C-alpha cells in the first residue's frame, strides 16, 4: 500500500508514536522494517484523535477498512 510517505519517515513515525505512548504493539526492527499488524491505539492516542476530529474521522475509516483489507 502506497501512503505517499517515504519509508524512513513512516518507520520514524511508527517508532515515535509507540515511544510516546499513542500506540502499542508495533514492532520496529533494526533493519528499518516494521510490523503494524497488531497495533492498537491506546487511550493517549484516542484522546489525541478526539481532540483532532479530522484525524479521528480518518482513523475510524481506516479501522473499518482494516477489517476487510489484510494489512
Amino acid at each position: 500500500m502506497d501512503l505517499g510517505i517515504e519509508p524512513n519517515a513512516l518507520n520514524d513515525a511508527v517508532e515515535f508514536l509507540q515511544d510516546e505512548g499513542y500506540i502499542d504493539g508495533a514492532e520496529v526492527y533494526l533493519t528499518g522494517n516494521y510490523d503494524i499488524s497488531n497495533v492498537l491505539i491506546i487511550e493517549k492516542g484516542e484522546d489525541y484523535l478526539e481532540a483532532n476530529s479530522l484525524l479521528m474521522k480518518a482513523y475510524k475509516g481506516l479501522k473499518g477498512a482494516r477489517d476487510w483489507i489484510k494489512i
Side-chain angles (χ1 to χ4, degrees):
M1 176 187 305
D2 183 9
L3 300 174
I5 302 170
E6 292 294 321
N8 289 341
L10 187 55
N11 295 348
D12 291 345
V14 169
E15 191 169 15
F16 171 80
L17 291 169
Q18 182 145 300
D19 289 347
E20 293 298 314
Y22 292 107
I23 63 173
D24 190 28
E27 295 183 40
V28 181
Y29 305 106
L30 294 175
T31 61
N33 294 328
Y34 57 90
D35 178 2
I36 57 172
S37 61
N38 294 314
V39 167
L40 297 172
I41 295 180
I42 53 181
E43 187 174 353
K44 183 177 176 181
E46 289 178 358
D47 291 344
Y48 178 83
L49 290 173
E50 283 181 27
N52 297 278
S53 62
L54 285 177
L55 292 175
M56 186 59 162
K57 289 178 187 175
Y59 164 69
K60 286 181 179 178
L62 290 173
K63 185 177 178 184
R66 182 174 145 181
D67 292 338
W68 54 272
I69 296 176
K70 184 69 177 165
I71 299 178

